[in-house]
Amino acid sequence: MSRIRDVLLAAVLLTGLAGAASAQTQSSTPTTNAGTKLNFASNLGGATFERSVNYSAPPANNPGLGMSYFYSTPKRLAISVQVFDLGRRVPSGSDNPTVIGQFNSELASAEQQFKYAGYTAFQKPSVPSTCTYGAVSFRCVTYSGVTQANSRIYSKLLLTGFRDHFIKIRIDWAQSHQQTAADAEASLQSFIPALMR
């Protein structure tokens, strides 16, 4: 039962939009994102492309939410990348008011998603950090919660402004799968520079 719950949480965490993803148009073909020109290849830094979700297409018809791309690592960590603009131009970098405001909204949403999934003991640092991968800086934070099976689930959330869009990257891992923060960091150190060249 706890395995099923972990799988369900992973599905919720990967979408970033709990409840809405199942109704979105899905694709299994890696593509170049039209707005940012980022190439979501079948393999990026050792992570394998799984699927994409187009929130601009029916039934959502919400171009501001853009696209999400989902990858998995050899150690079964889940990486999601959402490219979106919410209908406005997004300044570059991680320290401008637009990105800081959106980051705070994303973090509040993540906490609500954990509670909605029935997880307890939500933990996050009181102040986010700045994380740099390659030449790109992100506003970032690692947060976690405890499943009903008493296993801790972790997510690292990163957000930056890039080519007039928000780039939100999240990597998820679970204590019960023998995955660690070091595994997540190693995956991001390979994945992000491969994506954001």
Side-chain angles (χ1 to χ4, degrees):
M1 184 72 160
S2 67
R3 175 90 171 130
I4 293 170
R5 212 172 275 122
D6 286 350
V7 170
L8 289 174
L9 174 65
V12 169
L13 291 175
L14 284 176
T15 64
L17 297 167
S22 62
Q24 306 308 314
T25 301
Q26 295 188 24
S27 169
S28 60
T29 306
T31 62
T32 298
N33 180 272
T36 61
K37 307 301 185 226
L38 293 176
N39 182 15
F40 290 89
S42 59
N43 188 294
L44 281 173
T48 303
F49 179 84
E50 299 290 336
R51 66 186 178 94
S52 61
V53 176
N54 182 357
Y55 300 110
S56 302
N61 295 318
N62 191 339
L65 294 180
M67 294 277 299
S68 287
Y69 304 86
F70 301 92
Y71 286 80
S72 62
T73 73
K75 291 193 174 191
R76 300 182 310 150
L77 283 77
I79 300 174
S80 65
V81 181
Q82 185 178 2
V83 179
F84 63 108
D85 63 12
L86 299 177
R88 62 183 175 193
R89 185 189 165 281
V90 179
S92 294
S94 61
D95 59 358
N96 61 72
T98 302
V99 170
I100 291 169
Q102 185 61 31
F103 183 85
N104 292 337
S105 294
E106 297 289 344
L107 192 53
S109 176
E111 185 169 1
Q112 289 304 313
Q113 289 172 19
F114 265 55
K115 289 178 181 175
Y116 180 77
Y119 295 165
T120 59
F122 185 82
Q123 293 180 353
K124 65 177 175 61
S126 57
V127 179
S129 301
T130 299
C131 300
T132 302
Y133 298 93
V136 183
S137 291
F138 295 84
R139 194 160 185 82
C140 61
V141 69
T142 298
Y143 55 89
S144 66
V146 176
T147 68
Q148 292 176 357
N150 204 32
S151 173
R152 192 159 281 279
I153 301 286
Y154 297 87
S155 289
K156 184 168 186 176
L157 172 68
L158 303 101
L159 187 75
T160 196
F162 184 80
R163 298 180 184 160
D164 298 330
H165 291 75
F166 292 110
I167 305 295
K168 178 176 80 172
I169 299 174
R170 196 182 62 238
I171 188 165
D172 304 323
W173 68 99
Q175 194 176 49
S176 62
H177 295 155
Q178 314 306 313
Q179 300 162 332
T180 67
D183 294 332
E185 191 60 28
S187 295
L188 291 173
Q189 289 290 347
S190 296
F191 180 85
I192 294 174
L195 172 64
M196 302 183 78
R197 304 182 216 208

